[in-house]
Amino acid sequence: MNTTIIRSVVKTTFLTVLMLLATSFAAAQDMPKCSEANGLKQSEMKDILKAHNSARDSVDASKLTWDCALAARAQAAADAAVGGSASTSAPGENRISSYDSSLDVKGAVDLWREERRDWDTKAGTCDPGRACNHWAQMIFTSTTKVGCGVNRKGKGSTKAVLVCTYDTARP
């Protein structure tokens, strides 16, 4: 082979490796390492944030960032819900319960996203007689941060609870 071709291949390979490393580093920077345990794997936190931001992209809302303090608050709410001491959402909070302790958190967030079909974008409200509070909180334009927690250790009929807490909360 010609040395010019070999140099070109080496240079292209080197640049490709550099781009992959830069992309990996950037992706790792997207999610902070929270010191508090929130029951979620790092990959689950990324999936949740990605699903939220995909929903927000669909309505031209700015992207959310993950917030560890909100995740800790969400974890406390998930723990309380599995323990039976809190069963309703607080303002700025989405929650979902499951009879299955292997709750798929991305699937759970996708269920919230499905509420979009009942959302009247022009009016900024839910269609009459429908519920879409989860969707409304996900896309609320003043919201800038989200943090979530999951408890998969329920003993009764509720085996798992996912809670996401938002700042700023939708009124």
Side-chain angles (χ1 to χ4, degrees):
M1 268 171 74
N2 182 323
T3 57
T4 305
I5 294 172
I6 292 172
R7 285 183 187 149
S8 177
V9 169
V10 169
K11 182 179 178 181
T12 303
T13 303
F14 179 73
L15 291 174
T16 303
V17 169
L18 281 178
M19 286 176 46
L20 288 172
L21 287 172
T23 303
S24 296
F25 181 75
Q29 298 302 308
D30 291 344
M31 296 301 300
K33 297 276 188 200
C34 300
S35 60
E36 302 84 13
N38 64 356
L40 294 166
K41 298 175 195 163
Q42 193 78 5
S43 61
E44 290 176 315
M45 292 188 304
K46 286 181 181 181
D47 287 345
I48 290 169
L49 186 60
K50 184 177 179 180
H52 276 80
N53 284 330
S54 174
R56 294 174 68 80
D57 285 345
S58 72
V59 295
D60 295 324
S62 62
K63 293 195 180 305
L64 299 179
T65 58
W66 189 269
D67 184 270
C68 294
L70 291 174
R73 197 164 89 202
Q75 185 61 48
D79 291 345
V82 167
S85 62
S87 60
T88 59
S89 295
E93 179 182 284
N94 282 347
R95 74 172 55 199
I96 191 166
S97 301
S98 175
Y99 298 112
D100 183 357
S101 61
S102 64
L103 173 70
D104 170 22
V105 296
K106 165 88 170 54
V109 175
D110 286 344
L111 287 174
W112 297 337
R113 290 174 52 169
E114 287 179 18
E115 294 176 1
R116 178 183 185 166
R117 68 177 173 261
D118 298 322
W119 183 255
D120 182 339
T121 303
K122 286 183 182 178
T125 60
C126 200
D127 291 337
R130 307 304 252 163
C132 46
N133 292 333
H134 301 103
W135 170 257
Q137 181 58 70
M138 289 176 71
I139 64 164
F140 185 56
T141 56
S142 295
T143 300
T144 58
K145 298 182 275 186
V146 64
C148 304
V150 67
N151 186 318
R152 293 182 172 109
K153 298 177 183 173
K155 302 284 188 230
S157 61
T158 300
K159 299 294 184 202
V161 176
L162 171 69
V163 177
C164 290
T165 307
Y166 303 84
D167 184 20
T168 299
R170 181 177 172 265

